[in-house]
Amino acid sequence: MTYARHTSPIWHLPIHSFPGDDQYSLAEYERAVFGGYVSSISTLFAAANVLDISIDDETFERSKRAASAAGLIDDFLDNGSDINSANELYQQQLNRYQTDDHVMPDVVDVGDVDERLPVAIDLLHNSTADLSEKQRSEAIAAAARIGALAVEKSQCDNVHAYQGLLVAEAVDTAALIGGMASEKVKAHRQTDRFLQWCSSALMFAIMADSLRDLGDDYRSGRTNVYPSISAKRALFSATRKSAKFLYRGSGQRQMTMAALAARRKFSMLPTKYALSHKYLQD
């Protein structure tokens, strides 16, 4: 399943339904879910296969929705004219999400919001309503920290402190992934090892993206780290170090190679072009 190409229905259609899903058409579902960071699910779960962790349909569908919502939320936090205000709204929504399972925040009328975002949040909400209170609380706490980190990154002007914020973002993102697992997946003896690998893989991806986008991020206000040669050199060193860890030992190397193979099988195109594919017809 996780090696399927981006044209496969498993990425565009729900493979597990949750209460409340019937309020959206399949076209609305696809527009909301086949976006964001959905390609990362293929990559990460391929590593889980190496450890013989069987990802059930419930976990796969919930993770797919979480990755898509995460990407759209990141865009909301990063692309607004005021990151502080965007994060404040985001935190308010998380609080409502935690205290009232049936009330979804109205983000449609707040600023310039991607129309897919409210649908993606609602679909994710449907899929997490049956998780334990502890699991939901931990996932929401991780999501709240990620929002706060966006603000801290926008104010940070020291590249070494910035690296620390990127590491924290990777750890919290891995925690979110773990929070999407069913009881069956959580009970597997290799799940903790898989989540450790996820943290390392996400750390590399976040470091590499930050290195590549440092100039644009500085100009847009997403960070106050000036894109000097020394700053880029420091980020390059951190990126290389995180990459080396992914190949340390045969077990780590096998998971990494499987993940890279899955990404190539998902699509040879850059993510934004792969995600522009239209599977459903209006």
Side-chain angles (χ1 to χ4, degrees):
M1 175 189 294
T2 55
Y3 289 94
R5 284 186 54 79
H6 68 283
T7 53
S8 170
I10 69 169
W11 302 109
H12 301 264
L13 301 170
I15 66 169
H16 185 90
S17 296
F18 300 94
D21 285 355
D22 55 1
Q23 66 182 301
Y24 295 111
S25 68
L26 290 179
E28 289 174 312
Y29 170 94
E30 189 218 22
R31 281 193 291 270
V33 171
F34 191 64
Y37 300 146
V38 73
S39 61
S40 64
I41 299 305
S42 173
T43 306
L44 296 177
F45 283 178
N49 288 343
V50 172
L51 299 176
D52 200 30
I53 300 175
S54 178
I55 304 298
D56 52 52
D57 289 354
E58 174 189 345
T59 298
F60 181 84
E61 180 64 30
R62 189 182 291 122
S63 299
K64 186 170 64 170
R65 298 180 187 203
S68 299
L72 293 170
I73 289 169
D74 275 356
D75 287 344
F76 172 69
L77 290 171
D78 289 345
N79 297 333
S81 57
D82 185 344
I83 293 179
N84 286 282
S85 296
N87 178 61
E88 183 178 349
L89 174 61
Y90 173 62
Q91 299 294 341
Q92 290 173 355
Q93 292 165 354
L94 285 176
N95 288 335
R96 293 179 66 182
Y97 178 51
Q98 187 171 20
T99 58
D100 190 338
D101 289 351
H102 304 288
V103 176
M104 291 305 300
D106 183 10
V107 299
V108 177
D109 298 327
V110 182
D112 185 16
V113 178
D114 190 318
E115 63 179 6
R116 299 173 297 172
L117 178 56
V119 181
I121 292 175
D122 209 1
L123 289 169
L124 175 60
H125 175 268
N126 292 347
S127 72
T128 59
D130 60 348
L131 293 176
S132 69
E133 183 178 349
K134 180 177 182 292
Q135 199 169 354
R136 282 170 55 85
S137 295
E138 290 176 349
I140 290 171
R145 289 193 297 270
I146 290 171
L149 285 169
V151 176
E152 291 187 62
K153 288 191 297 182
S154 71
Q155 299 170 345
C156 184
D157 60 2
N158 180 283
V159 68
H160 300 292
Y162 186 58
Q163 289 175 35
L165 297 176
L166 297 177
V167 170
E169 183 179 358
V171 171
D172 285 326
T173 304
L176 272 179
I177 294 171
M180 298 300 106
S182 66
E183 291 298 327
K184 176 183 176 182
V185 173
K186 285 170 55 182
H188 195 282
R189 61 185 178 83
Q190 294 278 36
T191 295
D192 285 345
R193 184 181 174 191
F194 166 62
L195 292 177
Q196 290 173 358
W197 180 89
C198 285
S199 292
S200 300
L202 289 164
M203 195 176 303
F204 166 74
I206 290 171
M207 289 284 185
D209 285 348
S210 296
L211 172 62
R212 181 193 62 202
D213 299 334
L214 185 60
D216 289 341
D217 289 347
Y218 176 78
R219 287 187 289 273
S220 65
R222 287 190 286 270
T223 183
N224 205 27
V225 175
Y226 184 75
S228 63
I229 293 176
S230 60
K232 291 181 179 179
R233 186 182 295 120
L235 282 176
F236 175 78
S237 178
T239 302
R240 184 173 60 178
K241 182 177 180 180
S242 61
K244 286 182 177 179
F245 185 81
L246 291 173
Y247 291 91
R248 185 178 299 167
S250 61
Q252 291 277 108
R253 186 162 52 252
Q254 288 177 22
M255 285 188 279
T256 301
M257 296 303 291
L260 292 174
R263 181 62 183 86
R264 288 193 295 269
K265 291 180 180 180
F266 180 84
S267 177
M268 294 297 290
L269 296 170
T271 300
K272 67 178 181 179
Y273 293 108
L275 296 182
S276 68
H277 172 78
K278 184 63 177 173
Y279 179 79
L280 295 175
Q281 300 296 321
D282 291 325

